[in-house]
Amino acid sequence: QIRLVESGGGLVQAGGSLRLSCSASGGTFRNYGMGWFRQAPGKEREFVAAISWSGGNTHYADSVKGRFTISRDNAKNMLYLQMNSLKPEDTAVYYCAARPAEYSLSYWRYDFWGQGTQVTVSS
């Protein structure tokens, strides 16, 4: 069973950048499709980005396309989310998630979740 731990969140001004990391352990990381999701207070969890087992295929929510980049390093069991040109509406708790299959855009299809990391973007 894979375990996930996010890090890298914080407070940043609008227009700034953050890099989130997700460390995986307890499983064969390369066998998992991975995704980033976020949840703002009072809102449903929403898809942000996803990446295939090999890292060769990625998918982004329209709201972050061109600003965020998802990547993975299977040798280090790490998942990343580079976030540039941050906006106040990006404020949320960000979660990484894993499923032992190809990635999905639907949060309910993921089996394993990290504890989340808070990202706050001030205007």
Side-chain angles (χ1 to χ4, degrees):
Q1 179 167 330
I2 198 167
R3 292 179 296 276
L4 305 172
V5 178
E6 302 95 336
S7 61
L11 174 64
V12 64
Q13 289 189 331
S17 298
L18 282 174
R19 188 195 196 202
L20 304 184
S21 298
C22 175
S23 175
S25 62
T28 304
F29 182 63
R30 65 178 179 274
N31 290 346
Y32 290 81
M34 300 295 297
W36 285 100
F37 294 81
R38 65 187 182 187
Q39 188 165 18
K43 295 188 177 181
E44 284 201 359
R45 191 165 297 193
E46 66 171 355
F47 169 77
V48 175
I51 190 166
S52 62
W53 301 329
S54 67
N57 291 316
T58 58
H59 196 98
Y60 296 92
D62 287 343
S63 59
V64 307
K65 201 172 294 183
R67 299 187 298 122
F68 290 11
T69 302
I70 188 172
S71 62
R72 66 190 295 167
D73 185 335
N74 286 344
K76 296 182 178 179
N77 292 348
M78 294 293 297
L79 176 73
Y80 304 101
L81 185 68
Q82 178 66 44
M83 305 186 296
N84 299 329
S85 302
L86 283 160
K87 305 175 181 180
E89 51 264 43
D90 294 318
T91 295
V93 178
Y94 283 71
Y95 300 90
C96 65
R99 63 191 304 260
E102 193 51 280
Y103 70 77
S104 171
L105 309 189
S106 304
Y107 70 85
W108 57 87
R109 297 189 184 278
Y110 285 81
D111 301 286
F112 306 102
W113 293 82
Q115 82 289 349
T117 186
Q118 177 71 47
V119 172
T120 303
V121 184
S122 63
S123 57

